[in-house]
Structure formats: C-alpha cells, structure tokens
Amino acid sequence: MIDSDVFDFVERCRRHTETGALLSDLLSTVKNLGFEHLILSGVPLGGQKLAPMVELNGWPKGWFERYVEAEHAAVDGVCIYSAKTLKPFLWGEVPAKWSDTEASRRVAGEATEFGICSGFAVPMLSVHHWQSVLSFASSQKACILSPRQQVQLVTMAVYAGMSIQALSDTADDADSVLTDREKEVLLWAAAGKTSSETSQILGLTERTVKWHTARARDAFGVGTTTQAVVEAVRRRLIHP
C-alpha cells in the first residue's frame, strides 16, 4: 500500500453518510495489506455486552454470532488487552498473562475456523464507550507489517472512528439515546440519591424510577446504574 491510498481513504471518509459504505471502503482498502475482516467496537468492561457496542461489523457472520453468544470478549486476550493500552499492537504481541490462558487460546483456535488467524488492533479513546478498538483480521498465520504500514493502518482506523462518531452524533441529534426522564433519574443517581429518594423528588413511584433506570442501562448496554451514569457523562448527556 502506498501513502496516497491512505490519503484517498481519509478524503472519502468525509463524504460517507452511512456506516455500510464506510465499512466496505475500509475493507477494500486494507485488503492491500492482507486483511479480510475488521470490527470497530467499544471494549466491554464490567459485564457489558459486546453486541450493542459494535459500530462497524466486518467479521464473518458465523464468527460474530458465536463470539457474542459464548461471551468470548470476557476471556479473549486481544479484547482484554485493548482495554488496557492505547498503543496499537499485533495480536501476537498481547502479553502472555492474557493471551496464554486456556480460554483465550480456545477463542483464537475457534477463530481460525472462520479464516481469522492473526491481526492488528488499534485501541482508541471514545466518547461513546470507556474505550474503543478497531481490530483488523487476516487469514495469514502471522501478520508481517512494517512500521510504515502500521502507521497507515492507525491513520485509517482513527479517521474511520472519527467518521463513525460524526455519523453517530447526527443520529443522536435526531433520536436521542436517552429520554429526558431517563436523563433525570441518572442525574439524581449521580448525585447519590436512591430510587426511593428520586421518586419523591420527581413525584414518581419508585417502580417507575427503577423502570427508567433500567431502560437507561439497556440503552448503553451496561449492567449497573453507575456504569450508565458514567456513560451518560462521557457522552455529555448529563452534567452532574
């Protein structure tokens, strides 16, 4: 791949108006470096589910379904390490404490059934998630990338992430992630109020408060109200 391919992709990123076209463009471009699949997702933490956090899904369908159903994200060394670093890395560079567990080796073995044998991951800060990662996958036994090629991949990953963010912001303007009531209950939760106290403040039943809180958790794909509060603050939906 030559640098002009990267710059051409960056330029096209500004014109994409939907995620499908962006995904196809990125897949077509990185194919020149030996990558056939990719996924851009938030990194699940604390019991979060992967599926609601996926923003670009270029994995084989069968592999994505198995990965989600088996909750592989909780034991996959690549996924775990993506939450602990902002440095791009080859999958083979994941420290043994996370990559050499029986569960992580099992995930890697299952992935080969779908033509995924090696890869390169680009962790990124995210407004919508604790952290995101764009992971490029190859059927080659081992990725061989020069430092320049790694920089090319990082550049494309960052601009793809920015484009997704821009598209997401536009969608959020038209259809907010949270209702005004859900924002209210999270705001009082951030202030340390219990469901009972919030119900008295807002003039609602405690059951209704709990219902709105649960909907907010579901909207972010998180398991606790604290996580929902953090996500709402990160997305600038509430300001404690």
Side-chain angles (χ1 to χ4, degrees):
M1 179 184 291
I2 58 178
D3 288 346
S4 62
D5 293 331
V6 178
F7 292 130
D8 288 346
F9 171 76
V10 169
E11 181 61 32
R12 292 194 299 273
C13 273
R14 302 173 183 176
R15 300 196 296 269
H16 286 308
T17 58
E18 53 95 15
T19 58
L22 176 61
L23 173 61
S24 296
D25 192 352
L26 184 54
L27 278 171
S28 177
T29 304
V30 300
K31 187 177 182 180
N32 296 326
L33 290 175
F35 295 103
E36 300 100 341
H37 309 288
L38 65 85
I39 188 167
L40 171 61
S41 172
V43 180
L45 291 174
Q48 288 179 298
K49 302 297 183 181
L50 174 68
M53 306 176 77
V54 175
E55 296 176 310
L56 285 179
N57 189 357
W59 270 359
K61 182 179 178 181
W63 175 233
F64 179 73
E65 291 175 349
R66 181 187 298 187
Y67 194 95
V68 170
E69 182 179 355
E71 298 186 349
H72 280 335
V75 297
D76 178 11
V78 173
C79 186
I80 294 171
Y81 191 51
S82 295
K84 300 179 182 298
T85 182
L86 281 172
K87 180 181 178 181
F89 60 92
L90 294 164
W91 291 2
E93 296 174 338
V94 175
K97 64 183 294 185
W98 296 300
S99 65
D100 201 29
T101 65
E102 181 180 352
S104 185
R105 291 196 305 270
R106 183 177 65 251
V107 172
E110 290 182 14
T112 62
E113 299 174 23
F114 297 86
I116 294 178
C117 301
S118 61
F120 182 72
V122 184
M124 296 177 282
L125 294 175
S126 172
V127 172
H128 287 170
H129 310 291
W130 302 84
Q131 188 155 302
S132 292
V133 62
L134 202 164
S135 202
F136 300 97
S138 172
S139 60
Q140 298 174 11
K141 186 174 181 180
C143 291
I144 301 176
L145 298 170
S146 68
R148 190 176 194 87
Q149 289 172 327
Q150 292 190 24
V151 170
Q152 291 173 335
L153 284 169
V154 170
T155 301
M156 288 187 288
V158 169
Y159 273 90
M162 291 169 57
S163 297
I164 287 293
Q165 175 66 55
L167 292 173
S168 177
D169 287 346
T170 299
D172 286 349
D173 288 342
D175 184 16
S176 180
V177 176
L178 299 178
T179 65
D180 288 343
R181 186 64 84 186
E182 289 161 3
K183 293 175 187 177
E184 273 188 309
V185 297
L186 288 186
L187 187 60
W188 286 112
K193 301 298 183 183
T194 65
S195 297
S196 176
E197 291 170 332
T198 299
S199 70
Q200 295 175 28
I201 293 169
L202 298 179
L204 304 171
T205 66
E206 185 174 357
R207 180 179 179 181
T208 299
V209 169
K210 289 181 177 179
W211 182 77
H212 285 298
T213 306
R215 282 180 56 87
R217 291 196 299 268
D218 290 343
F220 293 135
V222 298
T224 70
T225 300
T226 299
Q227 290 174 328
V229 168
V230 171
E231 285 293 327
V233 172
R234 282 172 58 80
R235 301 191 192 195
R236 302 179 180 86
L237 298 175
I238 63 173
H239 304 277

